[in-house]
Amino acid sequence: MGKKLLLEHIDVPGIQSLNVYRQKGGYETLKKALTSMTPEQILEEVKTSGLRGRGGAGFPTGLKWSFLAKPEGVARYLVCNADESEPGTFKDRYLMEKIPHILIEGMIVSSFALGANTSYIYIRGEYFYVARILENAIAEAYEAGLLGKNIMGSGYDLDLYVQIGAGAYICGEETALLESLEGKRGNPRIKPPFPAIAGLYGCPTVVNNVETIAAVVPIVKDGGAAYAQIGIGKSTGTKLISASGHLNKPGVYEIELGLPVEEFIYSEEYCGGIKNGKQLKAVVAGGSSVPILPAHLILKTAAGEPRLMSYEGLADGGFATGTMLGSGGFIAMDEDSSIVKNLWTFSRFYHHESCGQCSPCREGTGWMEKILHKILHGHGTLADVDLLWDIQSKIEGKTICPLGDAAAWPVASAIRHFRNEFEEYVKQGHSIKDVKHYYRLNHLPEPVN
Amino acid sequence: MEKKYQFSPETMAVVQKMMGRYPEGKQKSALLPVLHLAQAEFDGWLSAEAMDYVAEVLNITPIEVYEVASFYSMYNLKPVGKCLLEVCRTSSCWLMGSEDIVHHIEKKLGIKDGETTADGQFTLKTVECLGSCGTAPMLQCGADFYENLSLEKVDTLLDNLRKDGERRTYIKDQKVNMD
Amino acid sequence: MPKVTIDGVTIEVPNGTTILEAARMIGPEVAPPTMCYYSKLETSGGYCRTCLVKVSQGSEKDPRPMPKPVASCRTQVMDGMVVENNTSPEIHEARAGVVEFLLANHPLDCPVCDQAGECHLQDLGYEHGKSETRFEFPRREFERKDIGDKIQLHMNRCILCYRCVKTADQVTDCRVHGVMNRGEVAEISTYIEKSIDNDFSGNVIDVCPVGALTDKTFRFQSRVWFTKPVDAHRDCVKCCGKVRLWYKGNEVLRVTARKDQWGEVESYDGKTGWICNTCRFDKKTTADWTIDGPSKISRHSVISANHYNSLKALKATIDRQKDALPHGEKVTLGHGALDPNNESK
């Protein structure tokens, strides 16, 4: 059994409530932080832990915190990014729904460390019912003197609010999130300045993902060094993985970073193998934005080593043969899945979610979706596949925010690894039924059992 | 003349409380949640008049409200049925058969994606990932998630929603049984 | 003061200067093209991505190159920064890509567009675009809308530069139009039929880089190259009163603000010379104005020298083809149609 830091008590009946959470040691970390630590000491622990942003980018959290400007007399904010919208990702929802107090405790400890007296949890609008769970938990915390004035007699004040979004993937980008929180369209801001200098209401702000903030609790509890012992190399600690697609046991799993992908997919402790006894064809390992990999490359690196679920492990081989850990949205596809059609659902997604501010993304995402639709319906040409490649290359790295890259990478990787399937669609159109057949026809290594 | 659009005193109290969450002069921050309240209170959609009213409440210009309301996918700028069935269509849900669910609903209700039944009971809308990938396929109706759908479950769900007859809103849990 | 090198030319600029402004200080030969940036409008720029440049050295202190091309209009120079614009093949390629994106949904009907001849997108396409489109799907279409009795919005032509929105925010006292919807279907709109009714609303026409916002009092009165621009002024209580009159014969067809070599409204003593609607729409006789003289226009446009050079080439081709025609057939061209000097007078 891998170590569980966030989900340890997930199955305890009533863990949603403050009382049960406290019985299981909840808010002891807060007490420790407020009564025996300075904000600087907490920052040091987070730095030592090697914790990296769990929302997708993997930026070192301690470093991000250390960038926060601290001008005299200016408010600072901590904003929790609970806008989880990356296709394939549902871990934050699970965590907030099942054990809301770990996020709230993390918010208070982190706000204290950053010197924020008002903090917000920005949650996607579709998670309204989760927002209510959080609000109830926050009300309990106020009631118990864990929020508000003079928390636990420490002299530290904090107000914590839940802010609801209204349907926009782009608000998961931190500056778009801040715009949205200010009651505006979710258009990403042009950086610099970064939020650490000018964020919410122009004040220094840190934006962190739900899981990142929750992870601060075990880090402060047991110390950053203990946290850094878990995991592998620069991928320290545990990570929540959202497993979906053709798996026997989809769901949210807390893994120690460094777990072999093969074990994650096939062991009974985790996903229990591919549904209906089929073979694995491909995996999108870190949410829709990261490159898709065929079975042989997700299970083993190009060098033939077992592929590990860590930031470095999944990235091994670069984009040529590797991918990214991303948000940990792990989508498995069986042998009968159409890569082209799956890609179309991704491209349709990015087309739908582009904010429209900058031209490559506004025009390019729609264009790619249209071409994929054409190919999928048997009207494509081989030149269309090349055109797709060219369009994605002209979006990547040219946009205001990372949505452009996120729209480009799935297209590039699908063509890179499954060009044969695109070509079969061009030749046969949607009459193509047995995509497995073409997968094998092209002499790619056999899917692994 | 009585105004067509006016929050109930209870909702107004919620709005006032909400505005206290933000620093002085930043009341525009309440726009997204207040629009949700307006949509729930004014028949499930935001007419131009409803948005003008929200602008008045928050002391901002109407154009600021239109710009925001038209950006986010959860605000309905046209009337919708009492139950807006939002079926997720992205990757994982598609892999697990969301297209079959959509076709089944279309056939059963005699409407296409984006349309409303003649009796005003249901509107069907396909939407992007709702963060329920491990329990795919799924649909959202109001605040409630209906997960691990099958065609049979959808039948039961639609029957129960129809029987219930209440308008669904995002701000209230009103889950019905589908098993 | 930081020193920056752009396309091999080094210049010292005040702190906080953007790469684009530094390039403009050097001159038009190194200045990247812009479609959304407008130096007179705060927070403008960053959207269109035509001014992308390569930063091959970040600064003296940290000489690492920037990993991606940056929007020169929103990136400040650092001391010792080295920038590649026209000298970088990657940037040419990226810019051609941006032009293709901007034109993907833009109608390719310049001959019937009222902006032709003074359209920045036309210039951009001419200088940086490809000769054919690879976009083969139906283009998005919108209805033409009147926003007020003097301004027409033709959304099909809009490239969402946000200039008109920022103008309304920063120059007029109440903005009633904005960007609705999002992504590919985002549009400039008043949402409900509302006219833009404000003394300075006409300036949105001057800032629009394309034919999306046009002056209804001028629409289809004349091709712009048949008009003669003349600078003039009057004492105006509302604005600076410094304008450009566009004559055809003795008739003033339209009035605009005066523009500088970057296509932006001129500044006078540090103040932008926005003009009021009275000057723009209601003063259309010579008697209303004191004439300062013919406008010095750098016709940075397809009707500029380049275009006529290509016409010369075209004429040569036609001559060659004429010679090659069998049976001595003759091609008749309108009188002076291919005379490069014909329209530039």
Side-chain angles (χ1 to χ4, degrees):
Chain A
M1 278 288 275
K3 198 160 172 68
K4 304 274 182 282
L5 299 177
L6 305 179
L7 303 185
E8 189 185 352
H9 302 303
I10 200 83
D11 294 325
V12 175
I15 194 71
Q16 263 198 348
S17 72
L18 180 68
N19 277 341
V20 177
Y21 181 72
R22 288 193 102 163
Q23 282 162 22
K24 289 288 162 191
Y27 290 102
E28 287 304 314
T29 306
L30 175 63
K31 195 171 170 189
K32 175 182 174 188
L34 290 180
T35 56
S36 70
M37 293 174 83
T38 64
E40 292 72 29
Q41 284 170 331
I42 298 173
L43 172 62
E44 277 313 309
E45 292 301 334
V46 173
K47 276 187 175 168
T48 309
S49 74
L51 174 67
R52 293 163 70 175
R54 300 293 194 228
F59 193 80
T61 306
L63 195 58
K64 191 171 191 176
W65 285 16
S66 67
F67 290 152
L68 186 71
K70 293 178 177 164
E72 273 299 301
V74 179
R76 276 169 249 153
Y77 294 101
L78 171 64
V79 178
C80 172
N81 185 346
D83 191 62
E84 180 174 66
S85 310
E86 173 91 0
T89 315
F90 46 99
K91 61 176 179 87
D92 294 340
R93 173 183 156 220
Y94 182 79
L95 189 71
M96 292 186 288
E97 182 178 339
K98 302 287 183 195
I99 183 161
H101 281 287
I102 195 169
L103 173 61
I104 292 160
E105 185 173 9
M107 282 298 285
I108 307 170
V109 173
S110 305
S111 299
F112 173 68
L114 296 165
N117 296 108
T118 307
S119 295
Y120 298 93
I121 299 171
Y122 181 97
I123 187 166
R124 68 180 295 190
E126 292 88 341
Y127 286 0
F128 238 111
Y129 80 97
V130 185
R132 246 187 318 276
I133 291 171
L134 288 176
E135 276 177 343
N136 290 338
I138 287 173
E140 285 181 308
Y142 267 103
E143 188 80 5
L146 302 169
L147 277 169
K149 298 264 174 244
N150 191 20
I151 296 168
M152 290 178 150
S154 65
Y156 174 63
D157 304 335
L158 177 68
D159 283 313
L160 178 61
Y161 303 111
V162 177
Q163 174 85 358
I164 195 91
Y169 167 71
I170 191 61
C171 291
E173 195 278 340
E174 60 180 10
T175 59
L177 184 151
L178 296 175
E179 287 284 293
S180 185
L181 181 44
E182 291 181 8
K184 300 173 191 162
R185 294 163 64 84
N187 287 338
R189 295 176 183 167
I190 290 157
K191 292 154 286 235
F194 288 91
I197 308 297
L200 185 63
Y201 310 124
C203 301
T205 303
V206 166
V207 183
N208 280 146
N209 171 260
V210 171
E211 188 189 342
T212 313
I213 290 171
V216 170
V217 177
I219 288 169
V220 173
K221 180 170 168 250
D222 300 328
Y227 188 87
Q229 286 299 307
I230 305 164
I232 181 167
K234 283 183 177 172
S235 297
T236 59
T238 65
K239 174 88 187 83
L240 298 181
I241 303 292
S242 320
S244 68
H246 298 131
L247 295 165
N248 280 323
K249 296 196 293 174
V252 175
Y253 295 97
E254 183 169 12
I255 64 157
E256 272 188 43
L257 285 164
L259 180 78
V261 175
E262 190 161 3
E263 186 181 341
F264 182 69
I265 297 177
Y266 292 102
S267 79
E268 280 309 310
E269 190 186 341
Y270 298 103
C271 301
I274 307 302
K275 236 181 154 83
N276 301 323
K278 290 191 180 170
Q279 292 179 328
L280 179 68
K281 179 174 182 179
V283 166
V284 175
S288 58
S289 307
V290 310
I292 188 171
L293 286 184
H296 66 282
L297 284 176
I298 189 70
L299 296 171
K300 299 250 191 304
T301 65
E305 301 287 322
R307 196 178 281 282
L308 306 183
M309 294 180 76
S310 65
Y311 292 97
E312 295 75 22
L314 285 166
D316 185 279
F319 276 9
T321 58
T323 179
M324 291 161 80
L325 178 62
S327 63
F330 192 95
I331 309 171
M333 292 174 222
D334 72 16
E335 54 192 301
D336 294 326
S337 310
S338 161
I339 301 300
V340 177
K341 187 149 187 190
N342 181 67
L343 176 63
W344 174 60
T345 76
F346 283 160
S347 289
R348 180 174 61 181
F349 172 83
Y350 291 109
H351 178 202
H352 187 260
E353 300 299 337
S354 167
C355 81
Q357 258 193 138
C358 64
S359 21
C361 177
R362 179 182 65 239
E363 307 294 346
T365 51
W367 194 359
M368 293 198 298
E369 191 215 321
K370 289 182 182 88
I371 294 172
L372 278 164
H373 189 264
K374 184 183 158 193
I375 293 175
L376 206 50
H377 287 77
H379 307 301
T381 62
L382 292 177
D384 283 326
V385 185
D386 296 328
L387 180 57
L388 261 183
W389 180 271
D390 195 49
I391 295 173
Q392 67 79 24
S393 76
K394 293 215 158 74
I395 299 174
E396 188 199 4
K398 319 284 190 305
T399 53
I400 294 175
C401 82
L403 194 142
D405 295 346
W409 293 340
V411 174
S413 57
I415 297 176
R416 185 181 296 121
H417 298 299
F418 296 95
R419 194 181 168 102
N420 55 328
E421 195 180 301
F422 285 81
E423 290 175 358
E424 285 307 327
Y425 268 97
V426 165
K427 284 185 210 151
Q428 302 202 30
H430 57 313
S431 57
I432 179 172
K433 284 274 189 296
D434 188 2
V435 286
K436 164 177 57 183
H437 181 60
Y438 299 107
Y439 181 69
R440 291 178 173 171
L441 189 75
N442 285 272
H443 310 296
L444 281 173
E446 288 288 313
V448 186
N449 279 313
Chain B
M1 199 179 88
E2 202 189 324
K3 262 196 175 156
K4 192 178 165 209
Y5 292 98
Q6 182 81 51
F7 281 139
S8 67
E10 300 79 53
T11 309
M12 204 49 164
V14 175
V15 171
Q16 293 299 341
K17 207 177 141 200
M18 229 171 233
M19 282 159 78
R21 295 174 175 180
Y22 316 104
E24 194 70 32
K26 303 293 182 191
Q27 81 286 351
K28 190 181 171 182
S29 283
L31 181 51
L32 269 68
V34 172
L35 281 173
H36 277 302
L37 292 172
Q39 180 162 284
E41 194 145 325
F42 306 138
D43 301 325
W45 72 292
L46 296 168
S47 63
E49 294 78 15
M51 289 190 271
D52 290 349
Y53 172 68
V54 168
E56 194 188 308
V57 168
L58 294 180
N59 194 24
I60 55 180
T61 61
I63 191 74
E64 294 177 85
V65 182
Y66 308 150
E67 283 183 317
V68 166
S70 65
F71 185 90
Y72 296 95
S73 62
M74 289 172 77
Y75 300 128
N76 304 312
L77 301 187
K78 290 197 177 108
V80 291
K82 283 182 174 173
C83 298
L84 175 59
L85 305 169
E86 298 181 276
V87 188
C88 176
R89 64 183 189 183
T90 322
S91 184
S92 303
C93 274
W94 166 73
L95 286 167
M96 302 308 285
S98 66
E99 278 184 344
D100 296 339
I101 301 292
V102 172
H103 292 152
H104 184 70
I105 296 174
E106 285 182 335
K107 224 168 114 188
K108 192 174 163 85
L109 297 179
I111 52 173
K112 293 265 170 232
D113 184 7
E115 292 177 354
T116 303
T117 53
D119 61 0
Q121 181 64 39
F122 295 107
T123 299
L124 174 64
K125 185 181 174 190
T126 56
V127 298
E128 299 299 348
C129 185
L130 292 176
S132 188
C133 323
T135 39
M138 66 82 68
L139 69 79
Q140 178 168 21
C141 182
D144 307 305
F145 278 27
Y146 296 93
E147 303 173 288
N148 293 312
L149 293 178
S150 63
L151 302 188
E152 296 72 36
K153 282 184 183 176
V154 169
D155 285 338
T156 315
L157 174 64
L158 295 184
D159 290 346
N160 286 341
L161 285 171
R162 195 186 289 279
K163 258 183 245 158
D164 177 85
E166 286 287 307
R167 178 175 286 287
R168 257 62 197 170
T169 72
Y170 292 122
I171 64 171
K172 206 162 127 199
D173 299 329
Q174 298 164 278
K175 203 161 183 168
V176 296
N177 204 345
M178 63 168 186
D179 292 307
Chain C
M1 294 225 300
K3 266 190 199 148
V4 57
T5 305
I6 305 172
D7 281 352
V9 185
T10 303
I11 186 172
E12 203 170 327
V13 293
N15 263 324
T17 305
T18 60
I19 297 173
L20 183 93
E21 284 302 336
R24 283 187 175 182
M25 287 174 201
I26 296 171
E29 42 319 324
V30 300
T34 54
M35 293 301 292
C36 66
Y37 172 74
Y38 206 86
S39 67
K40 277 86 179 177
L41 295 171
E42 280 172 31
T43 73
S44 72
Y47 308 123
C48 72
R49 318 307 282 175
T50 53
C51 72
L52 289 178
V53 293
K54 183 178 169 183
V55 176
S56 43
Q57 178 174 315
S59 66
E60 190 72 53
K61 266 194 205 148
D62 182 359
R64 287 175 304 169
M66 292 194 184
K68 297 173 185 179
V70 299
S72 59
C73 65
R74 297 294 291 260
T75 310
Q76 293 184 359
V77 302
M78 306 285 281
D79 191 36
M81 185 185 264
V82 177
V83 176
E84 294 175 42
N85 176 33
N86 288 327
T87 49
S88 163
E90 286 159 63
I91 289 302
H92 276 266
E93 186 66 14
R95 198 166 283 154
V98 171
V99 176
E100 190 171 27
F101 287 130
L102 286 172
L103 288 173
N105 271 295
H106 189 94
L108 301 176
D109 60 356
C110 305
V112 301
C113 175
D114 214 36
Q115 190 84 359
E118 54 181 3
C119 173
H120 291 231
L121 185 58
Q122 205 176 19
D123 296 340
L124 185 77
Y126 188 74
E127 286 163 17
H128 300 280
K130 302 206 163 100
S131 58
E132 57 194 50
T133 179
R134 296 184 294 174
F135 187 84
E136 52 171 1
F137 302 97
R139 291 178 155 74
R140 58 170 175 258
E141 284 183 7
F142 302 86
E143 292 291 314
R144 281 193 187 81
K145 279 183 200 152
D146 286 345
I147 45 175
D149 59 341
K150 305 281 174 32
I151 305 169
Q152 189 176 79
L153 168 65
H154 193 15
M155 196 47 221
N156 287 6
R157 307 196 185 284
C158 175
I159 56 155
L160 285 165
C161 70
Y162 286 70
R163 283 182 186 173
C164 64
V165 179
K166 291 181 196 287
T167 303
D169 263 337
Q170 295 169 29
V171 181
T172 73
D173 53 13
C174 180
R175 175 163 71 85
V176 296
H177 79 288
V179 179
M180 300 300 139
N181 307 321
R182 72 179 185 212
E184 200 189 44
V185 293
E187 62 172 307
I188 301 288
S189 167
T190 52
Y191 189 65
I192 44 171
E193 283 297 306
K194 245 184 215 170
S195 65
I196 296 184
D197 189 17
N198 180 286
D199 272 344
F200 284 82
S201 64
N203 288 297
V204 299
I205 302 167
D206 280 346
V207 299
C208 182
V210 293
L213 289 164
T214 47
D215 179 342
K216 280 183 72 188
T217 68
F218 177 66
R219 273 180 74 80
F220 300 116
Q221 298 278 309
S222 170
R223 304 293 349 196
V224 62
W225 54 87
F226 293 131
T227 60
K228 226 199 265 173
V230 170
D231 286 358
H233 70 271
R234 63 183 276 269
D235 282 330
C236 179
V237 289
K238 293 186 207 153
C239 71
C240 65
K242 292 184 170 67
V243 302
R244 190 154 287 163
L245 305 176
W246 299 78
Y247 277 95
K248 190 170 188 182
N250 289 326
E251 208 184 334
V252 176
L253 291 188
R254 73 168 171 174
V255 182
T256 67
R258 298 181 196 169
K259 293 188 187 174
D260 63 17
Q261 65 167 322
W262 312 112
E264 296 184 8
V265 171
E266 290 270 11
S267 285
Y268 309 102
D269 304 324
K271 275 188 80 179
T272 311
W274 307 112
I275 63 169
C276 69
N277 286 2
T278 310
C279 285
R280 184 184 301 273
F281 298 123
D282 301 335
K283 303 289 174 192
K284 293 216 174 165
T285 61
T286 305
D288 293 324
W289 299 95
T290 307
I291 306 291
D292 300 325
S295 306
K296 287 190 195 91
I297 290 196
S298 106
R299 289 240 198 203
H300 181 75
S301 155
V302 285
I303 62 166
S304 64
N306 268 344
H307 183 65
Y308 291 110
N309 285 341
S310 66
L311 271 190
K312 275 180 202 159
L314 179 64
K315 185 170 184 301
T317 314
I318 292 175
D319 287 343
R320 264 202 318 279
Q321 289 182 348
K322 263 196 317 195
D323 294 342
L325 285 174
H327 316 303
E329 278 177 37
K330 279 191 176 170
V331 175
T332 316
L333 293 166
H335 175 70
L338 292 175
D339 177 358
N341 298 314
N342 190 30
E343 288 167 5
S344 61
K345 282 169 201 156

